[in-house]
Amino acid sequence: MKTDSPKKPAEKVRSKKESTLRGIPASPGISIGCVHLLQATEEEIQPRKIAPSEVKSELAHFETALASSRTAIERSREKATALAGIAVGKIFDAHLMILEDVVFREQVETRVKREQFSVDYIVFDVLGRNIEMMESQDGELFRERAADIRDVRQRLLRNLRGEGDIMPNEPTEPVILVASNLSPTHALHIDRNLVKGIATDTGGLTSHTAILARSMNIPSVVGLGDLSSRVISGDPIIINGNSGKVLIHPSAESGKEYKQKQDRYQKFMKSLENLREKPAETADGHRIQVWGNIELPLEAESVLAHGGTGIGLFRSEFLFLTRESVPSEDEQFDTYDKAADIMAPYPVIIRTFDLGGDKLHHTINLQKEKNPFLGYRAIRVCLSRRDLFRAQLRAILRASSRGNVRIMFPFVSGLEELREAKIVVKEAAEELAGNKVPIEEQIKVGVMIELPSAAMLADKLSEECDFFSIGTNDLIQYMVAADRGNDMVSAYYRSFHPAVIRMIQSTVKAAHKNNTPVGICGELGANPIATPLLVGLDIDEISTNSAFIPEIKKIVRAMTYVECKRITHRVLKLGTALEISDYLETQLKKKLADLPIWFN
Ligand code: PEP
Ligand code: MG
């Protein structure tokens, strides 16, 4: 990466009028400052022939560069861990796995010997093919994996050139970093005192750079399209990590307005600090639970730190996604046990593998499907791959001896899958009990309500399981037939569609008749304007990304149950998603005028 030259000829004709871009808000907060543009300089390494006598020294050079890269990655891991906890440090474990991959080393060695090209070219080419392969797959996780390989390649090439780990052209005064793409390694080298915000053309909410930016509390917006080609270093810019809005060359009025928003935001954040130990209880005594969604066991620490009292969704399929092979039972046990240990005595709901859809893995999803979201996914995979399912259930059951673990099945369409899955749980439990392995015999088993058919059958399903968790991300897409990841139909993906709200209502009512508690673990739970409605619909537990926990608690505590019921009553009479969201917004604004969502 390098900064651009400050005096580009294009600068003369560039407009200084305010313009606005919208991206994905990746790390909250508002930053006002000047652009520091990083331009990608990932050079193409050309093939360079070496003499046969040079092969040995070339391979020795490779070994040295591998060793220095390893040390550097370990240093990054330590830094990330110290900065943001073990879970974030794990990003660099994934880098180490790429660097130390036996197949990669063998390929490089064999090709240098056989083709007699310089090692930097071979490294560039071997990893380049892996990057291409990952980028040709659909889904954020593959893109993320490709970005990790690219990051490791850059580091290794720098070490092959003897440049070490120095990041060129670091800012020397407070700036907002703008880049087409920012690698986790680069993000980690950022000087927190100088980088006041990050804005990138690419990236998503779960990209590693976004995760790092969140842990470093640097306001960030990602997925901005072509921002980096619209600005040069020194341009004034405002980024709003709460809304995803970016203003280039803001006018004097915008500057003033955002300065006020920034002050209010900082005040609001201060007001959340004392909520950690307080329950999510309305002013008239109606209590709900606010829990966290996690993908890595150590994220549980962050859930506790934010005042969460349970894990409502542990997306176990993430065990697959940083690796090539299927995770073993023992490895899974370690992972589940770690989360259970951190959270004890609070509950941890482990969702069985939700592979398929957009979370594809080459060992499972062998065929390309025309409609992966309507295809071989989640419980369907588990019920047809009993080896996989049994190993996972055994691992979960072993971790259940701590007494706080629960099992949840995703993508259940009706009683058939629930009954079949429960039989596998029973068999796995009997097997373990027969071998005197301690387990929780009365382990709670729940169902994700994310298919309309399951919601319609809530009365029946709730007779045969211990809890529900509504997965609104999928429930909405299947109800309104709008792919949750397809920008072309995102206008149809209406979270507040009245049919969705009615379906949540009927699910809760049916489940409560059987005393089955109902949680919500989809993104709707993280939307502040939904909180009073969810309380009024009698949701028992909201599970969300840990960062939102304090805010949700604050909203619950600001309301009364009577008010929430009144709001819900009114919402159920409205006819469109927009009417509902407008109404909810107005109601919440009356109560809490300083929520960050109002700072657009
Ligand atoms: C959901 O569908 O709402 C959910 C929480 O599951 P995922 O987003 O992992 O599909
Ligand atoms: Mg889902």
Side-chain angles (χ1 to χ4, degrees), residues 270-281:
K270 264 221 105 35
S271 78
L272 294 182
E273 277 170 14
N274 64 356
L275 281 177
R276 197 184 133 168
E277 309 298 336
K278 302 217 167 109
E281 188 173 290

Side-chain angles (χ1 to χ4, degrees), residues 351 354 359 377 448 450 471 473-474 484:
R351 174 173 76 181
D354 183 7
K359 288 173 272 192
R377 184 183 167 190
M448 273 194 87
E450 51 184 353
N473 305 344
D474 277 314
R484 62 195 259 189

